[in-house]
């Protein structure tokens, strides 16, 4: 079965799919043409609000747009760039964890709460204490504990990282530094910059601990290096199947969708392979969810917009597992 474009009437991206009750809800970011110049820090992505879509038949059902569930004007601490978000339910409340830039130009994670999965959501007056960066994914384990995975190389993480210039003659070029003038380098034999994982407080409003690195190991049990094409880049997602934790993410500068598996929500995770080759557009940002006995991969590409300033459209297709639990590679037709 070919992929389905879920919502052709608008440009949306970064879909976080979740099942609440008997319905599947998709929480995307909302692309718009803001006239900002393209840059490697994602400054042209000037999203200002979130919608939620829902459906009860993935390939044939009507997609319901429940409208705006949170606008940047309703978030006291956020100035702009309402990027990726995800929602988790706990004790009958729904918690939207989102990333946005504050008035100092720094990305943080925020929380907004609703009594219904379709919102609207009311934002907390301050961002999560100690939070930083982008691309939150929220995972509730079987014991009810909630974990947040987040991180991204461009657009957030580099504001906390400067590689020493002494490595410039033998390192790996990562791109322009935040000052937009000098190159960033990293020695090829050091571990790749990681994603992060943190357990949330019982009320899902704060971190319950300091964020930990999400370590991805190669088949020899060594952490992936900065030079590895399968290193983490952004777009963390966690799902669980048959007691195994699957950490999936968009890779390096190639934007391949890869995954690694582990025995704990904290990892470490062992690299397993590629799920999807790079799509047309900016990163292979995705989510994986089981609904009515079938597994689905949600993602986006820029084909309908002809890649104009990276306006993206939501897609979905079936995902299949082998008997040993590995994921079969998907073809983006």
């Amino acid at each position: 079965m070919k992929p389905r474009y879920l919502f052709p009437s608008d440009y949306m991206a970064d879909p976080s799919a979740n099942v609440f009750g008997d319905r599947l809800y998709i929480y995307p970011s909302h692309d718009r043409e803001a006239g900002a110049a393209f840059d490697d820090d994602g400054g042209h992505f000037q999203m200002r609000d979130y919608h939620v879509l829902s459906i009860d038949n993935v390939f044939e059902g009507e997609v319901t747009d429940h409208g705006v569930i949170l606008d940047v004007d309703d978030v006291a601490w956020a100035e702009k760039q309402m990027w990726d978000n995800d929602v988790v339910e706990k004790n009958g409340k729904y918690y939207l964890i989102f990333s946005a830039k504050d008035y100092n130009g720094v990305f943080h994670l925020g929380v907004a709460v609703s009594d219904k999965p379709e919102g609207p959501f009311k934002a907390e007056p301050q961002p999560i204490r100690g939070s930083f960066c982008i691309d939150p994914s929220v995972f509730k384990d079987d014991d009810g504990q909630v974990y947040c995975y987040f991180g991204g190389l461009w657009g957030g993480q580099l504001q906390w990282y400067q590689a020493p210039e002494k490595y410039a003659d033998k390192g790996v070029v990562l791109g322009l530094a935040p000052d937009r003038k000098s190159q960033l380098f990293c020695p090829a034999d050091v571990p790749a910059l990681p994603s992060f994982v943190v357990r949330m407080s019982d009320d899902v409003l704060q971190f319950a601990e300091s964020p930990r690195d999400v370590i991805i190991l190669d088949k020899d049990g060594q952490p992936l290096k900065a030079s590895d094409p399968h290193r983490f880049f952004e777009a963390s997602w966690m799902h669980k199947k048959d007691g195994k934790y699957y950490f999936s993410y968009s890779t390096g500068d190639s934007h391949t969708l890869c995954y690694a598996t582990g025995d704990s929500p904290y990892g470490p995770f062992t690299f397993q392979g590629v799920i999807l080759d790079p799509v047309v557009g900016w990163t292979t940002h995705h989510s994986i969810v089981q609904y009515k006995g079938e597994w689905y991969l949600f993602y986006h590409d820029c084909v309908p917009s002809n890649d104009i300033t990276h306006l993206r459209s939501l897609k979905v297709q079936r995902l299949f597992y082998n008997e040993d639990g590995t994921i079969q590679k998907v073809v983006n037709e």
Side-chain angles (χ1 to χ4, degrees), residues 25-175:
Y25 293 83
I26 303 102
Y27 299 88
S29 57
H30 189 193
D31 281 354
R32 66 188 180 100
E33 178 51 75
F38 174 87
D39 66 66
D40 277 346
D41 291 327
H44 51 295
F45 291 125
Q46 291 290 330
M47 300 87 111
R48 61 164 297 114
D49 62 30
Y50 297 122
H51 286 231
V52 59
L53 310 176
S54 71
I55 195 169
D56 62 6
N57 185 312
V58 174
F59 283 102
E60 298 179 1
E62 179 182 357
V63 177
T64 299
D65 178 9
H66 297 274
V68 175
I69 59 173
L70 186 67
D71 186 279
V72 69
D73 289 343
D74 299 322
V75 184
W77 61 268
E79 179 187 17
K80 59 184 178 179
Q81 289 178 278
M82 301 276 277
W83 283 12
D84 184 37
N85 71 100
D86 194 12
V87 171
V88 66
E89 179 277 332
K90 188 168 184 182
N91 297 329
K93 296 282 188 179
Y94 297 85
Y95 299 86
L96 185 149
I97 313 296
F98 63 96
S99 53
K101 241 177 203 179
D102 68 10
Y103 287 88
N104 294 314
V106 177
F107 273 106
H108 293 286
L109 304 184
V111 183
V113 187
S114 176
D115 293 325
K116 301 180 294 184
E118 63 269 27
F121 287 79
K122 182 177 180 180
E124 292 293 300
Q126 298 293 330
I128 297 173
R129 291 189 299 271
S131 70
F132 57 97
C133 217
I134 60 172
D135 290 359
S137 166
V138 197
F139 168 74
K140 184 167 76 170
D141 208 346
D142 299 334
D143 61 2
Q145 293 292 334
V146 174
Y147 300 86
C148 182
Y149 299 81
F150 64 97
L153 190 57
W154 305 120
Q157 192 162 295
L158 279 182
Q159 63 197 10
W160 304 103
Y161 176 79
Q162 287 276 4
E165 291 185 1
K166 67 181 181 180
Y167 294 120
D169 61 342
K170 60 181 179 179
V172 174
V173 179
L174 296 178

Side-chain angles (χ1 to χ4, degrees), residues 218-235:
D218 62 22
K219 294 301 177 66
D220 295 324
Q222 299 301 311
L224 296 187
K225 301 296 192 294
S227 56
D228 195 306
H230 298 130
R231 72 184 186 275
F232 172 80
F233 184 81
E234 59 187 41

Side-chain angles (χ1 to χ4, degrees), residues 162-189:
Q162 287 276 4
E165 291 185 1
K166 67 181 181 180
Y167 294 120
D169 61 342
K170 60 181 179 179
V172 174
V173 179
L174 296 178
L176 288 177
D179 62 11
R180 314 307 303 157
K181 298 176 182 179
S182 58
Q183 292 284 336
L184 277 171
F185 292 86
C186 186
D189 59 347

